[in-house]
Amino acid sequence: MSNRLTCDVVVVGAGMVGAACALYAARSGLRVIVVDRGPVAGGTTGAGEGNLLVSDKEPGPELSLALYSGRLWQDVAAEPGLGEAIEFEPKGGLMVVSDPDGLHALETFAAGQRAEGVEAVPVAADALHGLEPHLADGLGGGMYYPQDCQVMPTLAAAHLIRRSGADLRTGRAVTGVLRGADGRLTGVRTDGGDIHAPAVVNATGTWGGEFAALAGVHLPVLPRRGFVLVTEPLPAGTVRHKVYDADYVANVASDSAALQSSAVVESTAAGPVLIGATRERVGFDRTFSLPAARILAAQATALFPVLGRARAIRSYLGFRPYLPDHLPVIGPDARLPGLYHACGHEGAGIGLSLGTGQLIAQSLTGTTPDLDLAPFRPDRFPAEEVPR
Amino acid sequence: MGGTEQHTLVVIGAGPAGIAAALAAADAGVRVTIVDSAPQAGGQFYRRPAAGLGARRPQALHHAWGTWESLNARLQAHIAADRIRHLTDHHVWFVERLETAFTVHALVGPEQTDPDTVTADAVVLATGGYEKVLPFPGWTLPGVVTAGGAQAMLKGGLVLPGRTVVVAGTGPLLMPVAAGLAAAGATIAAYIESADPKSLVRHASTLARNPAKLAEGAQYGAALARHGVPVRMRHTVVRAHGTARLEAVTVAALDAEGRIRPGTGRRIACDTLAVGHGMLPHTDLAETLGCALDGVRVAVDAEQRTDVPGIWAAGEATGIGGAVLSLAEGEIAGHSVAAQLQGTDPDPRGWSAAAKTRSRLRAFFAAIDTVYAPPAHWPESVTDETVLCRCEEVTAGEIREAVEGLGAGDLRTVKLLTRAGMGWCQGRICAPGVAGVAGCPADTARRPFARPVPLGVLAGPADTEPNRHH
Ligand SMILES: Cc1cc2nc3c(=O)[nH]c(=O)nc-3n(C[C@H](O)[C@H](O)[C@H](O)COP(=O)(O)OP(=O)(O)OC[C@H]3O[C@@H](n4cnc5c(N)ncnc54)[C@H](O)[C@@H]3O)c2cc1C
Ligand SMILES: Cc1cc2nc3c(=O)[nH]c(=O)nc-3n(C[C@H](O)[C@H](O)[C@H](O)COP(=O)(O)OP(=O)(O)OC[C@H]3O[C@@H](n4cnc5c(N)ncnc54)[C@H](O)[C@@H]3O)c2cc1C
């Protein structure tokens, strides 16, 4: 290679998380190259939804990261032109329960969240229609979460990478890592030539384990499949918030491999309503599943009977990157100097991306991270025999 | 047909391929249900004026009317004998693969809101193709119609799309369209073909083995000459003009590289532009079933079997090649299905004539394909303001910005960044245009639902089978 490609940090992966890492790394003065084997947002970011939720998270490290990210999303959305470009909507979430008994459990759950800084406003059964006129009759009540927001993930990833000023190299697969004499990482090998940098960020999402293996470290990232149903454009106001059944929370935290679903129903800026998503552990199987679509439709029409007449025009699927304890890995890898991880965000990677990016930038520049990174340590999983 | 448990074949599509498959299978004793979205049998080719229009001589709009009449007579005889059932106005949105059978899910009713399902032991996908139209400035003006659309209006509704028509684009389909319009009394102001059919001579031997096709072409050519239609080869429509509707088009000559020759633009007044750039196979149902594709078409073996056991495909779903080829493929599929369902060894001697026709015509259309092509540099004439995706009103400029400014590199990302192809038609109309302007391959998008389906139908009980055959 005649012109040697160098920078301060290579971000591998041009999904939402890579975009966030690039943005904050660049803003802290680093020269960044983002490399992806596909186009921008061609992985899970382009195959999911854009809920930025605090409502579904119990107190703990993930909720702290969600609240931290939420503040950063507000800042980003306030930058000139950006909020609109990424379709940021601070629309709030509404969690409903089917019968009044469930309300008690929901209130206990919300009390814990409030202690962490979540705003959660109880909604009596007879007040539900004031918030969502088309909700089904006879629901038990709910909880309103004004901090829940929404973005269009592909637009967000693409615009944040552009805003970062990072050098974006798409269509280049990373095939290995470069190491110095002392064993430190010194860059990556790609099918389009080497890129030299003292720091490499693994933002490869669901493929994070494969990438880690290229670098010789163990990271058990696995795929969790999800389907989303998309309706034809519907009149504005048909669905106003992100609305979901409280069962969703149990579902998200579940360790079961079987098909589970509790639909989150939300409208998008362009009119279609999105209904998602199922959760299933079936590896990287791309076969369309009618049962999954049926469950989503049944749950959505149970919440909003008017949707029964709305047509689904398409459905898509994606593979959430998850780790055994359902927390992402964020920060430097003690096992390999120069390697940083930012992956494994499961079904919340859009929401959690900005906080992740900021924490990575702080690690890269040697500043004390705003959050304790211990729960997100990359080496927290029992080491298996790692091929060298 | 006796009281024994019988296997059922469901044929999706009642065009030439579907009817031929149904007839061959029913002749062999298989019970067949044909499911089709149209109100009458015939498909794209044998499209007939609706009964209520009282056409006295529909055959005047068709060649090969005789073939149709005899097929239809056989079809009606099978229907009368309860060997074939024809479900009209049934829009299939999904074919579900069960353990040992399939459920064909359709929508019925005036607004296609009600579900109907049919269970099948085997399925023939004979869903045909649809027209490809590439964009150019002004292509969204009222008065610009697809070539097939113009033809369909004529065949199905007996109305002329306009008085003064320019027929333009590329492909052999334009010929019957222009000839049909001229015969019906329209003035064809120009016939604009971007290819140079003279280069067909390179395929002289293939052509020589298809005298009928050549004669058909010559017939259309003579018809156009008789009506004094000005024919311009290696020309293209550069722009359609008009404010409220189409008033004229500008056409220009192409150079050897497929670029517009400067200074050759000519304005032609017209009220209708019938434009087409060939056809694409319908593959939605096949893809969702997991059938392998061969490029843009459903891949099949010598017996028209897809790689999914129990699923056959025939006709234009497996490649564009006209009605006679579709008939041959359908016939072979019907024989093969019957043998399989009845547990006998398929005997290719039973369809050797159809197989011969098939290989001859496939070679012919492969030759045709190498000749007829849109101008190589057509995207260059698409101005930034040109709307490419009508459902979502996305312009060429927005597509270019997504590629050059935001890092899109494939059709899917272009779609996600611009919404092009996300609307009602799911990119069926705009995908080739968007891909061309974006400079990325027009890979087939996965569309799990062949038709938009009401959530209430999706949510409904999975096992209602009002239409379980017999
Ligand atoms: C159906 C569904 C619904 C969802 N809904 C939500 C939601 O509402 N809210 C939310 O916050 N999250 C949601 N998620 C989760 C969210 O989409 C993911 O957590 C997030 O997109 C992960 O982003 P990422 O950048 O880590 O990964 P990705 O977007 O997958 O990006 C990783 C990139 O790395 C690239 N890559 C991998 N290996 C290599 C290599 N060797 N060389 C070069 N490049 C490589 C890939 O091409 C890819 O582009 C949903 C997910 C699904 C599937
Ligand atoms: C304008 C025009 C002119 C032509 N002129 C000639 C000519 O002169 N000579 C010639 O040989 N060929 C001609 N053709 C081509 C000819 O029409 C086709 O080759 C032939 O019709 C293909 O037969 P098929 O059975 O594969 O599909 P089609 O005839 O297209 O039939 C497919 C059927 O499937 C149905 N269908 C599709 N999807 C679904 C679904 N999801 N649910 C229910 N039903 C469905 C459709 O409604 C249709 O009835 C012309 C075509 C056009 C458009």
Side-chain angles (χ1 to χ4, degrees), chain B residues 13-18 36-37 43-45 63 90-92 126-129 148 151 173 176-177 213 216 220 279 285 315-316 322-323 326 451:
Chain B
D36 190 277
S37 53
Q44 190 110 248
F45 187 59
H63 77 279
H90 275 59
H91 298 254
V92 177
T127 46
Q151 171 108 339
L173 253 186
V177 171
K213 281 273 142 202
E216 197 182 311
Y220 289 131
M279 305 263 302
L285 294 173
E316 300 213 305
S326 296
R451 296 280 193 279

Side-chain angles (χ1 to χ4, degrees), chain A:
Chain A
M1 291 243 77
S2 52
N3 47 349
R4 201 178 137 90
L5 207 48
T6 54
C7 58
D8 297 321
V9 53
V10 181
V11 175
V12 185
M16 189 62 237
V17 174
C21 293
L23 181 73
Y24 293 109
R27 285 187 176 177
S28 44
L30 301 174
R31 283 175 307 136
V32 182
I33 292 178
V34 180
V35 58
D36 199 297
R37 60 185 172 200
V40 67
T44 310
T45 297
E49 296 171 273
N51 298 307
L52 315 177
L53 301 185
V54 294
S55 56
D56 65 338
K57 295 174 180 66
E58 312 173 35
E62 196 189 8
L63 179 57
S64 308
L65 181 58
L67 285 162
Y68 176 61
S69 288
R71 291 191 290 276
L72 296 172
W73 275 113
Q74 294 286 351
D75 295 345
V76 158
E79 292 183 25
L82 208 47
E84 203 168 291
I86 65 177
E87 297 180 4
F88 179 82
E89 288 185 75
K91 53 164 57 168
L94 177 64
M95 207 193 283
V96 298
V97 291
S98 24
D99 57 279
D101 296 347
L103 210 50
H104 183 68
L106 184 56
E107 179 49 50
T108 313
F109 178 71
Q113 292 176 313
R114 281 191 203 105
E116 303 294 314
V118 173
E119 293 169 50
V121 186
V123 184
D126 61 6
L128 284 174
H129 286 111
L131 280 172
E132 283 292 346
H134 296 289
L135 261 183
D137 294 330
L139 291 167
M143 194 68 68
Y144 176 59
Y145 290 90
Q147 288 154 310
D148 284 355
C149 300
Q150 178 176 315
V151 290
M152 162 42 173
T154 305
L155 286 171
H159 281 280
L160 290 198
I161 291 177
R162 178 153 78 175
R163 195 55 73 109
S164 76
D167 179 356
L168 171 65
R169 308 270 170 150
T170 54
R172 270 207 199 191
V174 172
T175 54
V177 297
L178 307 175
R179 286 166 184 264
D182 55 358
R184 267 190 79 93
L185 271 198
T186 57
V188 293
R189 173 145 293 160
T190 80
D191 55 7
D194 293 351
I195 306 176
H196 303 271
V200 175
V201 179
N202 171 15
T204 57
T206 313
W207 302 274
E210 280 168 36
F211 178 81
L214 288 179
V217 296
H218 172 64
L219 199 63
V221 186
L222 288 167
R224 198 172 182 191
R225 185 169 78 175
F227 280 98
V228 179
L229 275 181
V230 187
T231 71
E232 63 189 308
L234 297 178
T238 308
V239 175
R240 301 181 177 183
H241 306 86
K242 334 195 125 286
V243 183
Y244 59 100
D245 201 289
D247 290 347
Y248 178 82
V249 177
N251 215 321
V252 169
S254 162
D255 277 321
S256 161
L259 172 64
Q260 297 164 309
S261 169
S262 51
V264 178
V265 183
E266 81 213 19
S267 57
T268 60
V273 165
L274 299 189
I275 302 160
T278 53
R279 288 167 187 271
E280 229 176 333
R281 296 211 313 251
V282 290
F284 285 103
D285 181 354
R286 301 201 70 91
T287 321
F288 177 78
S289 157
L290 192 59
R294 284 189 179 288
I295 290 182
L296 289 173
Q299 291 177 340
T301 52
L303 285 175
F304 290 94
V306 284
L307 292 181
R309 286 192 304 274
R311 285 173 195 259
I313 55 174
R314 67 196 174 98
S315 169
Y316 60 86
L317 64 88
F319 299 98
R320 302 176 187 86
Y322 84 93
L323 285 154
D325 59 3
H326 302 288
L327 286 178
V329 283
I330 304 171
D333 192 324
R335 299 165 295 184
L336 182 53
L339 177 62
Y340 296 73
H341 296 282
C343 61
H345 296 74
E346 197 159 343
I350 309 305
L352 303 179
S353 62
L354 294 193
T356 301
Q358 180 72 287
L359 293 169
I360 289 289
Q362 287 162 349
S363 311
L364 286 166
T365 52
T367 0
T368 312
D370 288 339
L371 295 185
D372 176 15
L373 293 185
F376 307 117
R377 281 172 63 112
D379 57 358
R380 65 185 190 269
F381 304 101
E384 289 180 356
E385 269 304 291
V386 181
R388 285 263 147 195

Side-chain angles (χ1 to χ4, degrees), chain B residues 279-299:
Chain B
M279 305 263 302
L280 288 168
H282 269 303
T283 55
D284 299 350
L285 294 173
E287 273 184 90
T288 310
L289 276 163
C291 302
L293 296 192
D294 169 8
V296 295
R297 56 182 163 222
V298 182

Side-chain angles (χ1 to χ4, degrees), chain B residues 306-369:
Chain B
T306 72
D307 64 339
V308 173
I311 304 287
W312 282 252
E316 300 213 305
T318 66
I320 303 306
V324 177
L325 177 57
S326 296
L327 283 172
E329 292 180 345
E331 186 187 331
I332 295 167
H335 283 294
S336 170
V337 170
Q340 188 141 323
L341 289 184
Q342 294 165 340
T344 56
D345 279 338
D347 179 6
R349 279 170 307 177
W351 63 77
S352 60
K356 255 192 216 131
T357 305
R358 181 177 64 180
S359 46
R360 185 168 49 76
L361 284 171
R362 279 190 185 163
F364 179 80
F365 281 93
I368 288 276
D369 260 2

Side-chain angles (χ1 to χ4, degrees), chain B residues 10 12 35 92-96 102-106 116-120 123:
Chain B
V10 171
I12 304 175
V35 185
V92 177
W93 59 271
F94 199 82
V95 179
E96 187 179 10
F102 300 91
T103 305
V104 176
H105 295 269
D116 195 4
T117 59
V118 189
T119 305
V123 175

Side-chain angles (χ1 to χ4, degrees), chain A residues 46 162 294 308 310-312 314, chain B residues 111 401 426 453 455-456 458:
Chain A
R162 178 153 78 175
R294 284 189 179 288
R311 285 173 195 259
R314 67 196 174 98
Chain B
E111 312 243 306
E401 164 63 10
Q426 288 292 294
V453 53
L455 290 176
L458 257 184

